[in-house]
Amino acid sequence: MRIDTALDSVWPAELRTDRLLLRPVTPEDADLVRELLTDERVRAYLGGPAPHERVASRQAAYPATAGAWAVVRVADDQAVGLASIGPDHRCEGRAEVSFQLLPSAWGHGLGREAVSAIVSWWTAVVPGGGPVVAVTQAENIRSRRLLESAGMVLVDELDEHGARQCLYTPGGDEDDSDLRWVRLIASRRDEVERRRGAQARATAAGQRLPEDLAVLTADELAQLCPARHGGYGRICAHAANHTPDLHLGRAPDGAWIAWLTSRAP
């Protein structure tokens, strides 16, 4: 089942924990959205404060988005953050959970409580929802510790938005189905990217590339596509003006790979 279809079947939903109420975002949360999207500390690992146009767009979109909650502190009825779950754009059939809290709410375990509630709800309530992941920048130690304290484990790393990212999924023993599912998808992606790489190397453009990209001069490298996408984060070896959807590069073990940027393989 598609993630958005699964969400629509159970939305709207409210989640309650000992200290939090997660309720659907409303237009009255516009100030909260603006504060989160423009705070330098909140946005330190999210590309920096968002411009006015982006803020306005998100203020309009959140109330209409299934899976988007305002995180409300029960003790004083204050909305202190946003949390969401929705389709993971990297891999069809996988859900991604995300969260942002105001700095005033940091350090009290509220983020952990919110993430745990969402993962538990998704697993227990959403029919055919599939596995859940969370992605955070490798340098964002606070966020990584939060996810790990919520019982999530690191299963993959990838380069995205110009930085190294860590992909987490709910942990468990070696028989945990979600963990095995993520590993299976990673294995399948590797196989597909290697097959595409061999096919791309057989083309005229691929054959013009040297076997060892390290021998290219700085001027020659400048002629290549500047993209550094995909789980391997390798330089794209195609010419700068090639069709941008498919990129050709090298895996860490030296094998040629090719990866898509528009959708998961």
Side-chain angles (χ1 to χ4, degrees):
M1 180 182 293
R2 289 171 54 94
I3 298 301
D4 49 4
T5 301
L7 262 175
D8 287 340
S9 69
V10 294
W11 194 258
E14 287 191 351
L15 311 182
R16 294 180 181 273
T17 71
D18 290 342
R19 297 180 294 169
L20 298 174
L21 166 66
L22 277 65
R23 57 162 176 75
V25 179
T26 71
E28 286 68 36
D29 294 311
D31 287 345
L32 171 67
V33 174
R34 174 186 50 75
E35 189 171 357
L36 287 167
L37 292 182
T38 58
D39 189 287
E40 292 184 355
R41 293 164 294 177
V42 175
R43 302 290 299 177
Y45 298 99
L46 297 171
H52 172 75
E53 296 76 11
R54 171 69 172 168
V55 172
S57 173
R58 297 313 300 159
Q59 286 173 323
Y62 269 120
T65 301
W69 289 278
V71 179
V72 180
R73 190 167 49 205
V74 174
D76 55 8
D77 197 33
Q78 290 296 306
V80 296
L82 297 171
S84 65
I85 192 167
D88 176 10
H89 71 275
R90 306 168 195 83
C91 184
E92 185 176 351
R94 189 169 74 186
E96 180 180 4
V97 61
S98 60
F99 58 93
Q100 301 175 64
L101 293 181
L102 296 174
S104 60
W106 293 359
H108 303 289
L110 298 182
R112 178 184 68 246
E113 204 166 307
V115 169
S116 297
I118 293 170
V119 171
S120 296
W121 171 78
W122 182 261
T123 302
V125 175
V126 181
V132 183
V133 298
V135 178
T136 190
Q137 197 173 126
E139 294 185 358
N140 190 349
I141 302 302
R142 180 187 294 272
S143 179
R144 294 181 62 181
R145 287 175 176 168
L146 184 155
L147 294 174
E148 291 164 5
S149 70
M152 303 189 84
V153 294
L154 177 66
V155 292
D156 199 5
E157 293 189 17
L158 60 148
D159 288 297
E160 192 174 63
H161 309 306
R164 194 69 172 170
Q165 310 288 336
C166 294
L167 185 147
Y168 286 83
T169 196
D173 59 31
E174 289 300 315
D175 292 328
D176 182 85
S177 60
D178 283 358
L179 185 58
R180 287 189 288 108
W181 191 94
V182 170
R183 287 172 173 162
L184 177 63
I185 289 298
S187 174
R188 177 176 179 273
R189 181 191 64 191
D190 182 87
E191 177 186 349
V192 170
E193 288 180 345
R194 288 169 185 266
R195 183 174 67 250
R196 286 200 190 106
Q199 294 169 344
R201 281 289 282 163
T203 65
Q207 290 174 355
R208 285 195 294 270
L209 290 167
E211 184 64 25
D212 182 4
L213 294 180
V215 305
L216 295 174
T217 66
D219 288 341
E220 288 171 329
L221 282 172
Q223 302 302 312
L224 297 181
C225 171
R228 297 173 185 270
H229 304 298
Y232 297 103
R234 306 299 289 182
I235 186 171
C236 180
H238 271 315
N241 60 350
H242 82 97
T243 302
D245 183 55
L246 183 68
H247 299 268
L248 175 65
R250 305 295 292 272
D253 63 3
W256 285 91
I257 58 172
W259 62 92
L260 297 173
T261 53
S262 63
R263 61 187 182 276

